[in-house]
Amino acid sequence: RLTGQQQEINNLIQRKIAVDEENACLKNEFSNLNQKFKDKSQELKDTEECAEKKEEQNRLVIKNLEEENKGLNTCCADLLNDLEKLRKQETQWKTEKSGNDARIKNLETDLAEAREQMKELRSICSNLSTQVAVKQEELSQKDCNVIRAKKELQELQNLYRQNIEHAAQQAELIKQLQALNTD
């Protein structure tokens, strides 16, 4: 039971410490707010003084602006004259642009025709490539046939040479037999 009370006392002490800390924070915050209030009050006073000065300055500025406005009116008249000149220039440029647009349209038409021709040429090239591939295949086949024929010719030439040699040997044997026969 004592430990329970001791625990409760400890809890109360901790709560008191927390409350004291919170009070200290609140006092500090109040002090800060009070200082801010004083600062803002001084700032308001300064602002009011500044506003009076500004009002006086504004009167002077308005007077200067009115004088400046007269100058600007003169300038505005000059600018209107310039604007009129620019409008005339714009009309001229629009005419030139219209001619350029027509030229661009013609060039685009030419380009479209050229693309169409290129398409046709690509198609022709593709067909020719296919034909070349076929011819190359045929040529390759014929090369194989020629190689085979050369081999056969070589074999026939070898056989012919052997036959000639045999014939020569037979002729020699016949001579020898005839000679023996005569003897």
Side-chain angles (χ1 to χ4, degrees):
R1 187 174 173 189
L2 270 174
T3 53
Q5 288 178 344
Q6 186 66 40
Q7 183 66 40
E8 197 175 329
I9 290 168
N10 286 344
N11 289 343
L12 288 171
I13 289 169
Q14 285 177 353
R15 278 176 51 201
K16 182 185 179 308
I17 290 168
V19 167
D20 288 346
E21 286 175 358
E22 192 177 343
N23 280 343
C25 284
L26 288 172
K27 279 180 185 176
N28 192 27
E29 194 176 333
F30 175 75
S31 175
N32 288 341
L33 286 172
N34 202 23
Q35 185 61 44
K36 280 183 185 175
F37 174 73
K38 286 177 184 173
D39 293 346
K40 290 291 175 189
S41 296
Q42 183 61 43
E43 197 178 317
L44 179 62
K45 188 179 173 186
D46 293 345
T47 302
E48 285 171 351
E49 288 174 7
C50 187
E52 286 175 16
K53 287 178 185 174
K54 284 278 180 193
E55 199 174 327
E56 183 57 35
Q57 286 176 353
N58 285 344
R59 281 193 206 100
L60 288 170
V61 167
I62 287 168
K63 188 179 175 186
N64 291 335
L65 286 174
E66 284 172 350
E67 289 174 9
E68 193 178 331
N69 194 29
K70 289 177 187 174
L72 288 173
N73 283 336
T74 307
C75 187
C76 190
D78 293 341
L79 287 172
L80 284 171
N81 289 334
D82 291 346
L83 179 63
E84 189 57 35
K85 289 176 188 170
L86 287 172
R87 282 190 177 139
K88 287 178 184 173
Q89 228 176 23
E90 182 190 15
T91 306
Q92 184 185 341
W93 286 343
K94 279 183 179 173
T95 307
E96 289 175 9
K97 185 184 180 296
S98 175
N100 287 337
D101 287 347
R103 279 207 314 237
I104 287 169
K105 199 170 182 182
N106 290 338
L107 288 171
E108 283 173 349
T109 305
D110 293 348
L111 180 62
E113 288 172 5
R115 282 187 177 144
E116 197 58 39
Q117 285 178 355
M118 282 198 43
K119 212 176 185 180
E120 290 171 14
L121 288 172
R122 279 199 186 110
S123 175
I124 291 168
C125 281
S126 176
N127 291 338
L128 289 173
S129 293
T130 306
Q131 290 175 17
V132 165
V134 169
K135 293 293 179 192
Q136 282 179 333
E137 184 62 34
E138 290 175 5
L139 186 62
S140 176
Q141 192 61 45
K142 286 180 180 177
D143 281 346
C144 290
N145 292 344
V146 167
I147 290 167
R148 200 177 305 115
K150 279 184 180 176
K151 281 184 183 174
E152 288 174 6
L153 178 64
Q154 186 68 41
E155 288 171 6
L156 287 172
Q157 284 176 339
N158 288 342
L159 285 172
Y160 179 71
R161 202 175 298 116
Q162 287 173 3
N163 283 341
I164 289 173
E165 287 173 5
H166 283 115
Q169 288 172 359
Q170 285 174 356
E172 184 62 35
L173 281 171
I174 289 169
K175 259 188 198 175
Q176 288 173 4
L177 285 171
Q178 283 175 343
L180 285 172
N181 197 18
T182 305
D183 290 341

